[in-house]
């Protein structure tokens, strides 16, 4: 497996575009389109927030047959909490895109991201869809990655190539998200493409598995968005033997490639958390089970006291012990070790006699890695987060103003 350039359009048979439609006040790209050269097997996972945005509802409807050919995405407006008009506008985005591409409306998936509670400027979006459809190209992935951003400071994309059944297979992806990130299926959108020959059932199986080990282990601020969406499309052009079972070398190789792309995107999302200065990995080892491992890791990754200590380069391990103690995981506090990188801060639940100056220097590592050994079982998990800086408050206080 090797990393390659191109993001979503690194995959043959995929075209994309990103343009400025006038949703955002500044002359920033705010409308993206991703298209396959023919109807494709598709899979998706979406927010579990009960306050669900209209485009997510449309996506769920249009994915009922697990086939799609286009995704239309706007940024700057979430089209959430917008009632019947919001649903009508999401459907208009799909129908207008379908008309421009000459395809069935049910083959179009829809996403929105941005401010909640405002109606879409649908006339601007429909005009933008016409421009975007005429701007599609095999080099348009970078523009699409830029057009889906909100408070992100830079676009995020990744791609890999590997061999399945002796055939070169590619997987590409883009993502956006900086705040309101705590996925449970982070505001987070991600779109993935592949040319692997894999049926829709196995595509959904692989996506579920990988999302559970990547996006669902990402947190910036504990807030689960109304619009979280991860979609994957496959052109099936790689000509490998079709993957029809969730087992065997071919399926595992595909999952490995998908896991790599999504992990890279998750790290970019965490590193670009609102106001973040550091990417933080929280590793929990030897938990009683996966559930306990995730509880402990999430409690640490989401603790404002831990996140601010990381920002301040303060090896205040008492905050870490506090967080895992409140998590609900079962363990003996006097069996716990805590390490910063490979340097032991806590041994058997107590101060390990570490050197404060040396610990402080370790906060310059990228990523900052906090490892917690519960010594209670065999389960292990890694979560990704970021620190909290002064800018987190400023960005969110000024979000609409």
């Amino acid at each position: 497996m090797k990393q390659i350039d191109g993001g979503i359009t690194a995959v043959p048979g995929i075209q994309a575009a990103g343009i400025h439609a006038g949703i955002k006040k500044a002359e920033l790209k705010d409308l993206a389109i991703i298209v396959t050269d023919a109807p494709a097997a598709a899979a998706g996972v979406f927010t579990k927030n009960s306050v669900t945005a209209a485009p997510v509802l449309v996506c769920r409807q249009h994915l009922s047959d697990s086939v799609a050919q286009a995704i239309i995405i706007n940024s700057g407006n979430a089209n959430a909490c917008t009632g019947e008009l919001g649903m009508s506008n999401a459907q208009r985005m799909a129908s207008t895109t379908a008309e421009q591409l000459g395809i069935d409306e049910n083959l179009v998936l829809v996403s929105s991201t941005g401010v909640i509670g405002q109606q879409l400027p649908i006339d601007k979006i429909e005009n933008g869809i016409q421009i975007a459809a005429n701007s599609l190209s095999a080099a348009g992935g970078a523009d699409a990655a830029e057009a889906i951003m909100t408070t992100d400071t830079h676009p995020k994309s990744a791609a890999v190539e590997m061999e399945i059944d002796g055939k070169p297979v590619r997987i590409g992806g883009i993502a956006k998200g900086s705040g309101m990130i705590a996925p449970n299926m982070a505001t987070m959108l991600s779109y993935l493409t592949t040319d692997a020959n894999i049926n829709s059932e196995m595509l959904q199986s692989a996506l579920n598995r990988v999302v559970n080990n990547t996006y669902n282990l990402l947190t910036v601020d504990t807030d689960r968005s109304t619009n979280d969406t991860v979609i994957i499309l496959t052109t099936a052009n790689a000509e490998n033997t079709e993957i029809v079972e969730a087992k065997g070398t071919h399926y595992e190789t595909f999952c490995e490639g998908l896991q790599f792309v999504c992990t890279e995107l998750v790290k970019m999302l965490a590193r670009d958390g609102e106001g973040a200065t550091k990417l933080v990995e929280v590793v929990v080892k030897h938990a009683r089970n996966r559930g306990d491992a995730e509880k402990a890791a999430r409690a640490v990754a989401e603790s404002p006291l831990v996140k601010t200590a990381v920002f301040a380069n303060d090896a205040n391990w008492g905050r870490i012990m506090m967080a895992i103690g409140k998590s609900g995981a079962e363990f003996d506090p006097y069996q716990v070790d805590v390490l910063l990188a490979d340097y032991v801060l806590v041994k058997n639940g107590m101060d390990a006699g570490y050197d404060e100056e040396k610990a402080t220097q370790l906060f310059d590592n990228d990523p900052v890695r906090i490892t917690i050994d519960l010594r209670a079982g065999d389960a292990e998990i890694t979560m990704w987060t970021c620190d909290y800086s002064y800018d987190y408050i400023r960005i969110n206080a000024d979000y609409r103003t």
Side-chain angles (χ1 to χ4, degrees):
M1 185 170 62
K2 63 179 181 181
Q3 284 188 266
I4 57 176
D5 296 328
I8 50 171
T9 49
V11 174
I14 302 292
Q15 295 188 81
I19 60 107
H20 173 67
I23 306 165
K24 296 176 180 175
K25 294 178 182 179
E27 292 291 321
L28 300 172
K29 294 182 178 70
D30 51 22
L31 190 73
I33 187 169
I34 303 165
V35 181
T36 61
D37 56 7
V45 291
F46 304 95
T47 182
K48 292 182 181 177
N49 194 321
S50 60
V51 179
T52 307
V56 172
L57 300 177
V58 171
C59 268
R60 286 172 175 163
Q61 293 171 2
H62 288 192
L63 267 180
S64 60
D65 62 354
S66 303
V67 178
Q69 192 170 352
I71 310 170
I72 183 71
I73 313 117
N74 76 270
S75 59
N77 185 313
N79 194 11
C81 301
T82 47
E84 292 183 5
L85 180 57
M87 278 298 294
S88 173
N89 285 337
Q91 289 162 347
R92 282 177 66 176
M93 286 179 67
S95 61
T96 302
T97 302
E99 181 180 351
Q100 290 296 319
L101 298 176
I103 63 175
D104 189 280
E105 178 179 342
N106 290 321
L107 292 173
V108 181
L109 306 179
V110 183
S111 290
S112 299
T113 180
V115 177
I116 293 171
Q118 297 181 356
Q119 297 294 344
L120 289 174
I122 192 63
D123 292 339
K124 291 181 179 179
I125 289 175
E126 288 185 323
N127 289 335
I129 289 171
Q130 182 175 353
I131 296 169
N134 290 325
S135 304
L136 286 165
S137 79
D143 287 336
E146 184 179 341
I148 65 176
M149 298 192 304
T150 49
T151 56
D152 306 61
T153 64
H154 58 269
K156 302 161 182 71
S157 65
V160 295
E161 181 177 280
M162 65 275 192
E163 278 197 3
I164 297 178
D165 193 29
K167 307 290 185 179
V169 171
R170 292 186 169 194
I171 301 173
I174 60 174
K176 64 81 49 179
S178 188
M180 202 181 288
I181 304 287
N184 183 2
M185 339 176 311
T187 308
M188 188 204 82
L189 304 176
S190 183
Y191 308 100
L192 304 158
T193 57
T194 183
D195 55 3
N197 187 10
I198 179 171
N199 70 20
S200 58
E201 184 180 357
M202 294 305 98
L203 191 65
Q204 186 70 59
S205 169
L207 185 64
N208 290 346
R209 167 173 155 179
V210 169
V211 164
N212 201 40
N213 290 320
T214 55
Y215 294 107
N216 283 356
L217 297 177
L218 164 68
T219 182
V220 169
D221 50 21
T222 81
D223 286 332
R224 185 189 311 163
S225 170
T226 56
N227 295 58
D228 287 344
T229 296
V230 181
I231 294 169
I232 185 168
L233 306 174
T234 177
T235 65
N237 290 336
E239 299 183 348
N240 58 286
T241 302
E242 185 179 22
I243 301 171
V244 296
E245 292 184 293
K247 61 181 181 180
T249 303
H250 297 166
Y251 178 78
E252 291 300 325
T253 300
F254 178 77
C255 287
E256 181 183 351
L258 187 60
Q259 173 92 21
F260 183 90
V261 170
C262 292
T263 299
E264 289 300 296
L265 292 172
V266 161
K267 289 178 181 179
M268 294 177 202
L269 290 164
R271 183 176 276 112
D272 196 28
E274 287 174 339
T277 68
K278 297 168 186 173
L279 168 63
V280 183
E281 289 185 350
V282 179
V283 181
V284 172
K285 295 183 175 181
H286 300 118
R288 191 172 56 94
N289 51 44
R290 181 189 164 99
D292 274 6
E294 183 170 343
K295 286 177 183 177
R298 187 172 295 278
V300 173
E302 294 183 339
S303 167
L305 291 177
V306 173
K307 289 158 73 73
T308 50
V310 172
F311 171 67
N313 291 2
D314 181 8
N316 190 344
W317 58 264
R319 294 181 178 184
I320 299 171
M321 291 296 293
M322 170 280 298
I324 62 175
K326 73 172 185 178
S327 70
E330 294 184 20
F331 62 94
D332 180 348
Y334 288 106
Q335 291 292 314
V336 175
D337 296 341
V338 177
L339 295 84
L340 184 59
D342 295 323
Y343 191 57
V344 181
L345 303 181
V346 177
K347 185 68 177 176
N348 295 327
M350 295 181 291
D351 192 322
Y354 67 94
D355 179 82
E356 189 78 39
E357 184 176 350
K358 182 173 182 179
T360 297
Q361 293 172 352
L362 293 172
F363 285 103
D364 291 329
N365 287 353
D366 183 22
V368 175
R369 182 174 293 105
I370 298 170
T371 301
I372 300 149
D373 191 341
L374 297 180
R375 294 181 7 202
D378 297 321
E380 180 175 333
I381 212 165
T382 299
M383 286 198 71
W384 295 272
T385 189
C386 59
D387 60 338
Y388 271 162
S389 73
Y390 303 116
D391 280 344
Y392 179 81
I393 301 296
R394 179 189 57 78
I395 290 167
N396 283 284
D398 294 344
Y399 183 57
R400 295 202 308 155
T401 57

